[in-house]
Amino acid sequence: RANALLDRGRFRDAKAILEEVRDSEESRSLEWVVAESKLLLGLGESVRAKALLLLVSQQNDIDTRTALGHAVQVCLARARLSQGDYGAVLAAADRVEYDRSGDAIEAHTQKALALAYLGRNADSRQLLEMLATDSVALEDARYRALVHVAMGLLAQREDRHDDDGAGDQTGVDA
């Protein structure tokens, strides 16, 4: 339930739910760790989120082919992106099979941003264009918004100011 709230940006409500079970057996589950990591990331606590995810990853054999394994890699990519560890973002995103799912689109959007920060703008643009097309098929507007805001950021980095507003606005509209 906390994950669903976090996906809708309801951090306070999710935080209350996570705190209720913090000292229970449930707080040792991978689902709880993912939800706690999403909360930390949403609150700007990427260092704590990364530490939690790495600890859990070292203690468990997480199958990155599962939805939960994808969620762990997405959170790791987000945490590492915010810390400027772009090579690790690429590695985390590449562990998420690109199957056009929401998690795959989010992970590969993080990868596209890392590519842009590494100066690989053409690779970033190519990936974002593919993600933009694929995100339309999803019924969840969050992924379209994420991709289009990333496209706006790339346009700004390339000084394409005629394009950045359109990408940002498309992201807001989605």
Side-chain angles (χ1 to χ4, degrees), residues 51-130:
L52 177 62
L53 290 161
L54 289 176
L55 177 67
V56 168
S57 296
Q58 292 167 354
Q59 294 174 347
N60 298 286
D61 184 24
I62 299 171
D63 186 352
T64 59
R65 296 170 297 178
T66 65
L68 202 50
H70 282 185
V72 168
Q73 294 306 315
V74 168
C75 289
L76 273 172
R78 285 179 59 196
R80 288 179 160 151
L81 184 70
S82 70
Q83 295 172 14
D85 191 356
Y86 306 128
V89 173
L90 300 179
D94 284 342
R95 285 192 284 278
V96 177
E97 177 185 347
Y98 190 72
D99 59 4
R100 294 186 172 96
S101 67
D103 279 342
I105 287 174
E106 185 172 351
H108 289 270
T109 299
Q110 304 301 330
K111 177 180 180 176
L113 289 169
L115 288 168
Y117 288 128
L118 290 169
R120 296 173 52 191
N121 293 347
D123 293 335
S124 177
R125 187 178 324 98
Q126 181 179 9
L127 179 54
L128 285 170
E129 287 170 358
M130 179 191 76

Side-chain angles (χ1 to χ4, degrees), residues 28-48:
R28 292 179 189 87
S29 73
L30 194 52
E31 291 86 357
W32 184 89
V33 169
V34 168
E36 180 74 6
S37 297
K38 286 181 179 181
L39 175 64
L40 291 168
L41 289 164
L43 296 174
E45 303 256 359
S46 64
V47 172
R48 287 181 55 204

